[in-house]
Each structure stands twice: as C-alpha cells, then as structure tokens.
Amino acid sequence: MIREEVLEKRLRLLVNFGGVVSRETNLSKLLELIAEQVKNIIGCDRCSVFLIDPETRELWSKVALGLQNTEIRVPFGKGIVGNVASTGQTIKVLHVDQDPRFTHDLDRMTGYRTRSILAVPLKNVAGKIIGVFEAMNKTGTGFDAEDEGILQLISSLAASGIENAELYQSLSKSQLETIQRLAITAEYRDQHDVVIHLRHIRDYSALIAQGLRMPEEEVELIRYASLMHDIGKVGIADAILLKPGKLTAEEYEEMKKHTLYGAKILCNAESELLKVAYKVASSHHEKVDGTGYPARLRDGQIPIYAKIVSVADVFDALCAQRVYKPRWEPEKAREYIRGESGKSFDPVVVGAFERVFDEILKIHALGDDRTTISAQIIRETNGHSY
Ligand code: C2E
Ligand code: SIN
Ligand code: SIN
Ligand code: FE
C-alpha cells in the first residue's frame, strides 16, 4: 500500500476504535478487543494490555496459553512493562536481546518469540497511569515515531473505556438489586413513601452531579450510592422512627445516630460504590458551617458526594408530607435551599441544583403510584445496561 492509503486506513480504524471501545462494558472482552484493534491499527504481530493492580502493585494481563486463558503478573518496575508503569515513559525497543530491561520470562511461558516492543503507559483523563500497552513485533519496518503517537492517542481512549468497564463490573446487576432492596427495607418502616423518596434522591443526586459536570462514572456512583444514605435507620427503634409527631430532643439525638449506624454498616468497603455510599451515609447531615451531625464537619471536610445528597434529601423531605410537617410547594423548598446556601449547603452544589431545577421539577411532578414503584425501581436497575 502507498503511504496515503496506509494513513487513511489507520484513520478509519482509529475513528472506529473509539466507538467500539466505548460500547463494550465487559472488562475481559474489552481488553481482548483493544488488543485486537491495536494489532490492526499498528500493523504488529501481537498486542498485550497490562493493568495495574493497586493492591499488589503488580501489572496483570490475560494471555492465551494453548486453549486456556491465564493471568500473568509482572511486578512494578520489572521488565519493559514494569518500567513503563513506574516511570510513565514510553519505551521502544527494536531488538529486545540488546536491552537489559527485557525479561524473557513471559516468552518462556508463552513460547512466543518477542523481537521488538513498543510499550506506552495507559493514562486516564486525570493523567493517572492505570496500565501499559505493549505492541510487539511490527511486521516490515519496525516501530516508528508515528506508531508511538498513535499508540499514545489510543491509550487515552482505551483507558477511559477500561475504567468504565471496571466500574460496570464492580456494580453487577445482583449487587445493585441487593442494594436497592436493602435500602428499601431499611426505610420501609419509616415512611410509606420511602420508595418514592429513594427514587427522587437517586435521580436528584445524579442530576445535581451532572449539573456539577462530574464525569459520567461519578454520576453513576452517586446515583446508586445515594440510595443508601439512610441505611443506618435499620438501627433506629420503631418507637422513634415511627413516632406520629414531633420528636423530643432526646429522641432526636437517638435519631441522629442513623448516620453512625450507616457508617458502621458500610465502613471498610472494597468497591468504589460502597466507598462512596459510606461517605454519603456518614456525612449527609453535616453542614458546611460546621453545625451539622454527627461530626460537625466543616465545608472542606465534607465529601462532595455527601454535599450533593444532602441537598437532594432536604429538598425532597420538604416537598413531601411527614407525620411532623405538611408538604411544601417545590418553589418554597427551593427558596429554603437557596437561603441555606453557605450555611447548610455548599454554594457550588446549590448552584448546580439551581441549574438542573427544571429537570428536578419534572421528576417531582411524576405520578407516585406506590404499588408499582417498588417493582419499578428494581426493574429500572435491572434494565440498566450493567
Ligand atoms: P427526613 O424526614 O427524611 O428529613 C431529612 C432532612 O430534611 C432533615 O434532617 C432536615 O434536615 C430536613 N427537613 C425535613 N423536614 C424539615 C422541615 O420541616 N423543616 C426543615 N427546616 N428541614 C426539614 P434531620 O432534621 O436531621 O432529620 C433526620 C430524620 O429524622 C428525618 O428524615 C426524619 O426521619 C427524622 N425526624 C426528624 N425530626 C422528626 C420529627 O419531629 N418527628 C419524626 N417522627 N421524625 C423526625
Ligand atoms: C518485559 O516487559 O520485559 C517482557 C514483556 C513481554 O515479554 O511481553
Ligand atoms: C428537625 O426536627 O430538625 C427536622 C424536622 C422539622 O424541622 O420539623
Ligand atoms: Fe438521613
């Protein structure tokens, strides 16, 4: 092929790459897909994607050995791959036999004979290294500067696809359903409207996060984590939780402990989602002026996720009827939120709330047929593309 054709073909493949990668949410399939695509775009014989395992500080990759898929692991700093991961620098080796960094371990394992390598770091949008791309044995000319540029370009697209897939993987369908059911159970004793309240909190929180221009992954995290904000209410006695009227000061003190119980239930979580849920459950009643509970945290100490849910929670509580208060009109609730900006709430979050207020109103105005919504909230989750 002449050079123009090569370039055109590459460009086509590149354009295609973004689309293909953003659609696949299964991590193993995605990694295979990326390796296959890169092989075609670069025109090399083989491509491996190594990802960093932050717990062990190793890089891992799946390799086909015979008919089986095996996971291989390389320590940080070791070999070409390990060096790229620890330095963040691209490494190009035209003859691996002449490069002392190259370890023959993997070749020995796989029976593959590596001659040349182009290895670039996989960086996410925040610039953090999440793994390494390794292209091997370029047919014909050997790797050149253009290959390097292309691989770096692909790397950022691939990294965002990979992070998405990791998130989707950590939020499996059954996990999400469990969360929803738990959240509903925890609050069911409290209010009959709990399912509606939860759905509102979920949707309002996600909208506010969007209003804050948070990355989509974080919007999804807050969407589901927000459902667990009051999960600690499982620990509150019926006599208080179900009291048909104003709480005494003592009872209110007891009620406030739902944040501590929630923290207990969700602490030491491993998944990203439950980590966010922990922050929300423990801090959604903190106020930026330091007068909230349970820890009287101040502005900078309150996680953004908790600040978002706090606005969503109070807005929806005000708009709903409670045994201790009548329903407020949304406009009055909005005035209240505005008035508490800089006192209860972070002004930046209030700003985002204002920006998405029309969307919030639409959700608020939806019908609230209680008998179907419980089934619906679970169905919606299952229908989600996870
Ligand atoms: P909730 O009813 O879902 O209310 C959540 C939050 O919305 C409240 O957190 C409060 O910040 C805000 N909020 C709700 N209603 C009003 C209101 O009429 N005026 C104002 N200014 N803010 C309101 P808070 O106060 O920490 O209460 C936490 C939870 O404790 C409440 O969740 C509710 O389940 C319970 N609770 C609080 N006060 C009473 C009460 O007097 N009687 C009963 N039965 N439960 C109460
Ligand atoms: C190395 O990074 O040194 C070995 C990588 C490989 O053989 O693929
Ligand atoms: C609270 O008791 O502080 C919240 C409910 C209310 O204001 O009536
Ligand atoms: Fe709460």
Side-chain angles (χ1 to χ4, degrees):
M1 267 191 287
I2 54 169
R3 192 172 157 73
E4 280 67 36
E5 285 177 71
V6 175
L7 281 180
E8 204 196 307
K9 181 179 162 218
R10 283 192 158 186
L11 202 60
R12 240 190 355 261
L13 287 167
L14 263 181
V15 169
N16 186 37
F17 181 82
V20 170
V21 163
S22 63
R23 277 192 298 274
E24 180 58 70
T25 53
N26 177 300
L27 184 60
S28 325
K29 283 193 196 147
L30 177 66
L31 293 176
E32 263 176 54
L33 196 74
I34 291 174
E36 188 60 34
Q37 295 261 328
V38 168
K39 229 178 79 175
N40 289 335
I41 296 173
I42 299 279
C44 63
D45 186 47
R46 192 172 168 139
C47 172
S48 312
V49 186
F50 287 81
L51 295 184
I52 293 174
D53 179 343
E55 311 252 292
T56 62
R57 307 227 346 130
E58 287 173 320
L59 290 134
W60 64 269
S61 177
K62 291 254 160 67
V63 288
L65 277 183
L67 292 176
Q68 268 170 304
N69 266 327
T70 307
E71 196 175 293
I72 51 173
R73 289 185 165 259
V74 181
F76 231 65
K78 192 159 186 273
I80 304 286
V81 172
N83 260 287
V84 173
S86 56
T87 62
Q89 303 291 320
T90 295
I91 296 182
K92 187 164 66 180
V93 182
L94 295 182
H95 304 282
V96 294
D97 291 338
Q98 294 164 14
D99 195 306
R101 288 170 300 192
F102 184 74
T103 68
H104 292 267
D105 301 356
L106 301 185
D107 274 7
R108 267 195 288 277
M109 231 176 111
T110 56
Y112 186 75
R113 172 91 163 76
T114 304
R115 291 185 303 274
S116 57
I117 288 184
L118 175 60
V120 306
L122 266 169
K123 289 187 189 163
N124 70 9
V125 278
K128 189 173 140 222
I129 301 172
I130 66 160
V132 175
F133 251 164
E134 196 183 41
M136 283 160 294
N137 295 2
K138 167 134 188 197
T139 18
T141 52
F143 296 109
D144 55 24
E146 197 182 297
D147 293 328
E148 232 176 285
I150 287 186
L151 212 51
Q152 272 154 9
L153 182 69
I154 294 176
S155 143
S156 55
L157 286 175
S160 73
I162 288 167
E163 289 201 318
N164 251 324
E166 281 176 330
L167 175 75
Y168 288 172
Q169 182 165 289
S170 74
L171 304 182
S172 71
K173 252 188 199 176
S174 64
Q175 237 189 336
L176 285 177
E177 183 169 340
T178 308
I179 288 162
Q180 309 249 17
R181 286 183 191 275
L182 264 178
I184 292 169
T185 314
E187 283 193 66
Y188 207 80
R189 296 177 300 148
D190 181 10
Q191 314 145 10
H192 292 289
D193 296 347
V194 65
V195 184
I196 300 159
H197 179 55
L198 282 176
R199 195 186 59 177
H200 284 171
I201 301 272
R202 177 193 70 184
D203 294 345
Y204 298 167
S205 301
L207 279 169
I208 296 170
Q210 277 164 352
L212 284 169
R213 307 251 178 284
M214 286 174 100
E216 196 175 331
E217 296 90 356
E218 289 191 38
V219 173
E220 293 305 292
L221 283 175
I222 189 81
R223 189 192 303 279
Y224 293 105
S226 63
L227 290 168
M228 289 172 270
H229 73 285
D230 269 347
I231 204 149
K233 281 185 176 172
V234 285
I236 303 295
D238 280 357
I240 294 174
L241 196 65
L242 304 180
K243 182 177 178 177
K246 198 88 186 130
L247 297 177
T248 65
E250 230 168 60
E251 290 165 335
Y252 188 49
E253 283 313 304
E254 191 56 35
M255 177 59 107
K256 286 177 176 176
K257 290 186 187 157
H258 77 279
T259 49
L260 300 174
Y261 298 145
K264 245 187 184 159
I265 294 170
L266 294 164
C267 69
N268 301 324
E270 295 233 337
S271 77
E272 220 35 55
L273 177 67
L274 292 188
K275 283 182 188 158
V276 174
Y278 166 80
K279 292 178 183 164
V280 168
S282 35
S283 305
H284 69 279
H285 289 293
E286 299 290 357
K287 298 180 175 180
V288 295
D289 65 6
T291 63
Y293 66 89
R296 302 178 70 89
L297 298 181
R298 287 187 159 271
D299 187 20
Q301 303 168 301
I302 308 171
I304 183 71
Y305 304 108
K307 288 174 168 178
I308 292 171
V309 172
S310 172
V311 170
D313 184 29
V314 172
F315 178 74
D316 196 55
L318 293 175
C319 293
Q321 192 193 319
R322 293 281 193 263
V323 287
Y324 57 88
K325 63 165 269 294
R327 170 197 300 271
W328 291 19
E329 285 307 313
E331 206 40 62
K332 182 175 166 200
R334 178 197 196 167
E335 287 299 331
Y336 177 82
I337 301 276
R338 230 185 243 151
E340 286 295 310
S341 176
K343 297 183 216 157
S344 293
F345 311 121
D346 183 338
V348 176
V349 177
V350 174
F353 167 81
E354 296 273 10
R355 278 196 292 283
V356 298
F357 190 72
D358 288 345
E359 296 301 309
I360 287 179
L361 265 191
K362 280 184 207 157
I363 292 167
H364 169 78
L366 287 178
D368 57 353
D369 177 357
R370 284 168 203 171
T371 51
T372 57
I373 284 176
S374 177
Q376 188 187 329
I377 195 171
I378 289 168
R379 216 173 35 242
E380 276 171 19
T381 312
N382 287 343
H384 203 274
S385 60
Y386 294 110

